[in-house]
Amino acid sequence: MDDLSRTDKFYLRGGLLSLLNEPELLHAIESRFARDVIYTSTGPVLLAVNPFRTLPRLYDSDCLNTFLSTEDPEALLPPHVYRTSWQAYRLIKCTGAPQTILVSGESGSGKTETTKFVMRYLALAGSGGSEAALSVVERQVLESIPLLEAFGNAKTLRNDNSSRFGKFTELQFSHHGQHENPRLASAQTHCYLLEKVRVVGQQQGERNFHIFYQVLSFFRARVAETPLESLELRNLALPEGMSHKPEDYAYLNKSGCHDLADHDEVHDFLATVGAFSALKMAEDVHSIVACTFAVLQLGNIVFEAD
Ligand SMILES: Nc1ncnc2c1ncn2[C@@H]1O[C@H](COP(=O)(O)OP(=O)(O)OP(=O)(O)O)[C@@H](O)[C@H]1O
Ligand SMILES: [Mg+2]
């Protein structure tokens, strides 16, 4: 048996149970990764290797629907974040008992992206995979994600979208017995740890939290007369005397890094505003923008000895 068919066989049996030493385990993961197979399971643990690029069809709606509609993905489909999500969802459906998915790894390993795939699966499972049939709550849970990232994520040397906070997300499902699909009924995110010190200073090559640059990009785009017709933000004004350039703010201009490569931050700001709307907090956007500028303004205060 060559290496590849061996490693395939392990996952088809549901895990890497016969690979008990580290070199073999690493070899199996590497051989699979070389074929763009990023997921490997070992018992109940799913190992994921970050491909740092979009792999065709790995998460598209066909793939999601396959994992939603297959009677027993555990036996019939390869390791995948959707399969792990299915396992949790099935136990919620069959037993009504709480389930936990723990996502761990070093910075940049893909925890945030993985968590989004899990949440997407769990939100769509109740509607049979139909986006159109999502309930208000299911839609809100998915659409609220950019909000947490805008205020809690920042570019670091290791990850352009590094989560600078810890979170525990609790999803509650309605449960009407084994024959009906549980629906996502509410969600709560508990934040613990927030790297607040980043607001006042960042190391060389890193950035402050995304929201500051998103807001400034929005006003820059407006100044540059980029068409923003779709925005319901026409009456959002740059506060008097404030600049739209990051280099004019002490909290943003010390680390030598303002931009995110290959990224449209006006688009990101619209997603953040969209998240406010989804959560029925659209009227708070003006005060949030005002607070953002207030923080930047505080950083520009200079104290002098009398
Ligand atoms: N499954 C994936 N497919 C393709 N690219 C991915 C995948 N997972 C992660 N990435 C890429 O890797 C980057 C870093 O991933 P992510 O932000 O999820 O890491 P993280 O573990 O949450 O890091 P941190 O601890 O710094 O928050 C993403 O912005 C994305 O470009
Ligand atoms: Mg993260």
Side-chain angles (χ1 to χ4, degrees), residues 126-186:
S127 72
S130 160
E131 299 241 4
L134 283 176
S135 69
V136 172
V137 171
E138 287 161 346
R139 206 172 286 282
Q140 281 178 326
V141 167
L142 294 183
E143 290 179 1
S144 64
I145 292 170
L147 201 55
L148 293 177
E149 295 197 8
F151 289 89
N153 287 24
K155 173 183 162 53
T156 63
L157 294 177
R158 300 182 63 148
N159 182 0
D160 279 4
N161 187 35
S162 186
S163 316
R164 309 316 298 165
F165 66 111
K167 73 170 185 222
F168 171 68
T169 303
E170 204 175 342
L171 305 175
Q172 281 112 10
F173 291 83
S174 58
H175 182 59
H176 304 290
Q178 292 196 17
H179 301 295
E180 263 188 62
N181 279 347
R183 299 286 302 241
L184 191 52
S186 66

Side-chain angles (χ1 to χ4, degrees), residues 21-208:
N21 63 69
E22 193 174 326
E24 266 207 284
L25 181 70
L26 291 175
H27 177 67
I29 292 169
E30 190 186 17
S31 316
R32 293 164 64 73
F33 186 69
R35 291 178 293 142
D36 286 346
V37 181
I38 65 166
Y39 292 116
T40 303
S41 29
T42 166
V45 177
L46 179 71
L47 303 170
V49 183
N50 188 345
F52 281 105
R53 66 195 168 88
T54 306
L55 293 177
R57 297 184 298 277
L58 189 59
Y59 306 107
D60 66 9
S61 44
D62 286 347
C63 176
L64 185 96
N65 283 322
T66 305
F67 279 90
L68 283 172
S69 57
T70 304
E71 204 53 34
D72 186 3
E74 199 165 12
L76 301 173
L77 295 174
H80 195 290
V81 61
Y82 291 154
R83 195 175 86 171
T84 305
S85 310
W86 171 84
Q87 287 166 330
Y89 187 75
R90 178 182 61 96
L91 287 167
I92 291 167
K93 183 173 174 177
C94 298
T95 67
Q99 304 298 317
T100 302
I101 297 178
L102 176 69
V103 185
S104 86
E106 63 178 298
S107 178
S109 58
K111 300 180 293 294
T112 297
E113 297 304 313
T114 299
T115 306
K116 286 191 253 188
F117 291 126
V118 170
M119 289 176 68
R120 188 166 165 71
Y121 183 98
L122 294 174
L124 279 158
S127 72
S130 160
E131 299 241 4
L134 283 176
S135 69
V136 172
V137 171
E138 287 161 346
R139 206 172 286 282
Q140 281 178 326
V141 167
L142 294 183
E143 290 179 1
S144 64
I145 292 170
L147 201 55
L148 293 177
E149 295 197 8
F151 289 89
N153 287 24
K155 173 183 162 53
T156 63
L157 294 177
R158 300 182 63 148
N159 182 0
D160 279 4
N161 187 35
S162 186
S163 316
R164 309 316 298 165
F165 66 111
K167 73 170 185 222
F168 171 68
T169 303
E170 204 175 342
L171 305 175
Q172 281 112 10
F173 291 83
S174 58
H175 182 59
H176 304 290
Q178 292 196 17
H179 301 295
E180 263 188 62
N181 279 347
R183 299 286 302 241
L184 191 52
S186 66
Q188 256 186 307
T189 294
H190 307 265
C191 287
Y192 54 90
L193 303 174
L194 172 65
E195 193 193 27
K196 299 188 196 106
V197 68
R198 180 170 293 271
V199 172
V200 298
Q202 314 85 39
Q203 66 164 296
Q204 213 52 27
E206 299 202 343
R207 298 205 316 172
N208 211 319

